[in-house]
Amino acid sequence: MVVVVIVGIALSIAVSNLFVGDEQRVRLEAERMLVLVEKTRDQAVFSGYPIAMRLTGEGIEFLERDPNSVEPTWRSAAAESLRQRAWRDGIRVELAETNNGSSTNDNLARNAASASGGLSAPREQIVTFLPTGIGVPFSMRIFSDQFQRVIDGDALGNVAFRQ
């Protein structure tokens, strides 16, 4: 009887750890997005040209400014670490409004949206990182039906979580 109780307790602990809850999925996706934001910002600084993250319904795309073009032309990012990624099931990501009510990263996004090569995006769904490390503040909301996390970026390139 004692063995059955011990096995039952062990199984209940194992089963609870096997299934990832909604809150944990949002937290894991937010942590993944924080790393991607930092990686994109660093890639822009080290490469010497702007790099943008474009949020779509299916996932995230990375664009880089074509250094050989006179016009502001955007293309898919060449770095392997900045390949296109899909959202996990049940997780959505969007740029939230800033505190002053204006659209996040509005001026840089408008520039990227007017790019050639078919790489246009809704202006409120793109974050651009400049090679100087300075950028426009943004707020990225990672959410499911019940839970959310927010990643805030400031003008100095710092990023952090907010509930």
Side-chain angles (χ1 to χ4, degrees), residues 20-35 88 91 142-144 147-151 161 163:
V20 177
D22 201 30
E23 183 177 16
Q24 186 176 5
R25 285 187 310 127
V26 170
R27 183 182 54 79
L28 290 172
E29 187 68 12
E31 289 172 0
R32 179 178 87 137
M33 285 302 299
L34 182 69
V35 169
R88 297 204 167 122
I91 302 294
I142 298 95
F143 63 101
S144 67
F147 301 99
Q148 80 170 3
R149 289 281 179 118
V150 177
I151 298 173
F161 280 123
Q163 287 284 35

Side-chain angles (χ1 to χ4, degrees), residues 10-161:
L11 280 175
S12 67
I13 292 171
V15 167
S16 67
N17 288 332
L18 284 177
F19 298 105
V20 177
D22 201 30
E23 183 177 16
Q24 186 176 5
R25 285 187 310 127
V26 170
R27 183 182 54 79
L28 290 172
E29 187 68 12
E31 289 172 0
R32 179 178 87 137
M33 285 302 299
L34 182 69
V35 169
L36 285 173
V37 167
E38 291 173 337
K39 186 183 294 187
T40 306
R41 178 201 60 210
D42 294 346
Q43 183 69 26
V45 171
F46 295 135
S47 68
Y49 46 90
I51 297 182
M53 298 173 68
R54 180 168 56 182
L55 308 176
T56 67
E58 296 78 39
I60 186 167
E61 298 177 292
F62 299 92
L63 308 172
E64 62 186 22
R65 186 64 79 65
D66 186 353
N68 299 322
S69 176
V70 176
E71 295 294 320
T73 304
W74 292 85
R75 63 181 183 196
S76 294
E80 178 61 30
S81 62
L82 299 179
R83 70 189 192 298
Q84 188 171 350
R85 292 174 167 83
W87 304 130
R88 297 204 167 122
D89 289 336
I91 302 294
R92 297 179 302 281
V93 180
E94 67 183 15
L95 293 180
E97 294 292 315
T98 58
N99 291 337
N100 63 10
S102 64
S103 183
T104 304
N105 228 2
D106 200 31
N107 293 333
L108 295 173
R110 222 180 328 221
N111 186 8
S114 66
S116 63
L119 295 175
S120 63
R123 66 179 193 216
E124 69 275 7
Q125 294 299 307
I126 191 167
V127 177
T128 305
F129 298 94
L130 301 175
T132 59
I134 298 173
V136 176
F138 67 90
S139 186
M140 186 180 299
R141 186 169 77 110
I142 298 95
F143 63 101
S144 67
D145 292 333
Q146 299 176 356
F147 301 99
Q148 80 170 3
R149 289 281 179 118
V150 177
I151 298 173
D152 289 325
D154 65 14
L156 299 176
N158 300 316
V159 291
F161 280 123

